[in-house]
Amino acid sequence: MLRVFKNLFVHFRTWIKFLIILAIGLGIIFFIVFSVYKPMYKVTIDGEFFGYTDDKSELQNKISEYMKKGNDTSNIAFVDIEILPEYSFCLLKKDFKSNEEEIFNKIISTGVTYYKYYAIMVNSEEKYYVSTYQDCENVINQLKEKDSENVDSINYVVKYETDLKGFTETDVVVADLYVEKVIIPKVSTTTTLGKVATGANMGYAKQNLGINFINPIYGRVTSRFGVISNIRSSAHTGLDIGASRGTPISAAASGIVAFSGDKGSYGKLITIDHGNGVLTYYAHCNALYKSVGEVVNQGDIIAAVGSTGNSTGPHLHLEVRLNGIAYNPQDYFNY
């Protein structure tokens, strides 16, 4: 029995020596190998060789982040890269340089970018595109505040597309979509059809008129409300907007034509009664297209820009009067 244990001990010691020698030998081999070579990963996509990377986890994380948000350009939802890279372990010489950046750029160049934005719909038809959900809410809320006739037919949907549409500013969308509710106006009790108040009574505090006006023309303001000039006998009761002769003039809001004809220094003048004592005046016109008593809707063409009456050049003289008192049009119009 003693001899058996002795033989086992001898064999065990021999194996220990062998394992120690083997470990030392492998250590020497690994030392020699890793002093000359370094571990790297070969990168291929669908069998196509792309290059080598030192750290496959870092490269893959960088690709994953790019797929989530692209290059951080506004409105990118995600980037779809259909075939992702495969990695194979290999040993290359220490002085070999990896090309992660080149590999990354090649991989992302195969991706398809999807953008997220919003389409504003009118009767289920896409009309405008905006960048954010908040832009959509702003448009809808402003149209509700203005009591737009068509607000119930307007909604929005989120879009994920590979082509990014051109965005429209929310104030432009609101202005384009706004439709004034059609209400048959009543002539103000202070108004006599065919007659017009041209007194220099002026008020400087903004009044709540309860009307959403649109600009009758677009142009440069050439003279502001309240200005005193030697070409006038009193302070300026309106706002002058320069424009070419013949430029169409639109009704700022719905109403009834209270005056249409020649009126001294005003030249060819047309006024619209919007009810509740509110009237708008359009003076120095070249032509008048509406007659006293006609009902006009907001945006209807009522006249053309001219230089009649006390005028030094083609322009529109615009007035806003409440119960005969002139107020600053710039408090009610976008000039």
Side-chain angles (χ1 to χ4, degrees):
M1 179 64 71
L2 183 61
R3 179 175 292 179
V4 172
F5 279 111
K6 186 177 180 181
N7 289 337
L8 285 174
F9 177 74
V10 171
H11 286 299
F12 177 74
R13 189 172 58 181
T14 302
W15 274 104
I16 291 297
K17 289 181 180 179
F18 173 76
L19 291 175
I20 292 172
I21 294 170
L22 179 63
I24 294 172
L26 290 174
I28 293 171
I29 293 171
F30 276 110
F31 175 77
I32 294 172
V33 168
F34 284 102
S35 64
V36 178
Y37 298 94
K38 62 179 178 179
M40 297 190 76
Y41 293 90
K42 179 182 178 182
V43 183
T44 58
I45 294 183
D46 199 21
E48 180 184 353
F49 172 73
F50 272 50
Y52 294 95
T53 178
D54 293 310
D55 190 334
K56 68 175 183 178
S57 296
E58 182 179 341
L59 177 59
Q60 189 58 50
N61 287 338
K62 187 176 179 181
I63 294 169
S64 298
E65 283 300 308
Y66 182 84
M67 292 174 67
K68 290 179 183 177
K69 54 186 179 181
N71 55 9
D72 286 331
T73 301
S74 179
N75 292 98
I76 288 183
F78 60 90
V79 178
D80 181 28
I81 298 178
E82 186 175 354
I83 304 176
L84 292 175
E86 296 177 348
Y87 303 93
S88 303
F89 180 82
C90 59
L91 291 172
L92 296 174
K93 286 188 175 181
K94 283 272 190 180
D95 59 356
F96 189 88
K97 300 295 183 182
S98 60
N99 60 329
E100 283 97 344
E101 194 63 29
E102 181 184 350
I103 294 171
F104 175 75
N105 289 330
K106 282 183 179 181
I107 291 171
I108 66 174
S109 69
T110 67
V112 177
T113 301
Y114 284 83
Y115 299 93
K116 178 183 178 181
Y117 55 95
Y118 295 81
I120 295 178
M121 318 279 286
V122 180
N123 293 321
S124 301
E125 181 182 354
E126 295 181 13
K127 288 291 188 180
Y128 299 96
Y129 302 98
V130 294
S131 177
T132 67
Y133 162 82
Q134 190 58 52
D135 290 336
C136 297
E137 286 293 295
N138 289 341
V139 169
I140 299 295
N141 290 336
Q142 288 185 51
L143 289 172
K144 286 180 178 178
E145 289 173 6
K146 292 175 177 289
D147 199 22
S148 182
E149 178 75 31
N150 61 347
V151 68
D152 291 336
S153 66
I154 298 171
N155 60 0
Y156 54 87
V157 296
V158 63
K159 305 284 290 184
Y160 291 91
E161 303 286 350
T162 56
D163 292 323
L164 185 61
K165 301 288 188 180
F167 298 146
T168 305
E169 296 292 333
T170 55
D171 56 344
V172 175
V173 176
V174 172
D176 287 351
L177 290 183
Y178 173 72
V179 177
E180 184 186 35
K181 283 192 173 179
V182 178
I183 301 173
I184 302 300
K186 295 180 179 179
V187 177
S188 302
T189 56
T190 57
T191 301
T192 301
L193 294 182
K195 294 187 177 182
V196 62
T198 58
N201 296 329
M202 299 169 67
Y204 292 89
K206 182 178 179 180
Q207 305 296 308
N208 182 12
L209 304 181
I211 300 173
N212 290 306
F213 291 120
I214 64 170
N215 288 0
I217 66 168
Y218 287 92
R220 183 175 64 88
V221 173
T222 57
S223 183
R224 300 186 185 277
F225 179 81
V227 171
I228 296 175
S229 169
N230 58 13
I231 67 171
R232 304 183 187 94
S233 59
S234 62
H236 195 210
T237 53
L239 187 71
D240 288 349
I241 305 106
S244 302
R245 189 185 306 273
T247 298
I249 300 171
S250 301
S254 298
I256 295 175
V257 176
F259 181 88
S260 181
D262 292 308
K263 191 61 179 178
S265 62
Y266 281 82
K268 291 185 183 299
L269 169 68
I270 186 169
T271 70
I272 299 176
D273 188 331
H274 306 288
N276 298 318
V278 181
L279 283 86
T280 50
Y281 288 38
Y282 312 81
H284 305 309
C285 299
N286 187 60
L288 305 174
Y289 302 139
K290 299 294 181 180
S291 302
V292 172
E294 280 193 64
V295 174
V296 295
N297 294 318
Q298 185 177 62
D300 285 353
I301 304 302
I302 58 172
V305 170
S307 185
T308 56
N310 185 13
S311 171
T312 58
H315 71 282
L316 169 64
H317 172 85
L318 175 65
E319 287 188 15
V320 175
R321 290 187 180 247
L322 175 62
N323 298 323
I325 299 174
Y327 290 90
N328 189 354
Q330 286 191 283
D331 286 337
Y332 312 103
F333 290 88
N334 187 25
Y335 288 112

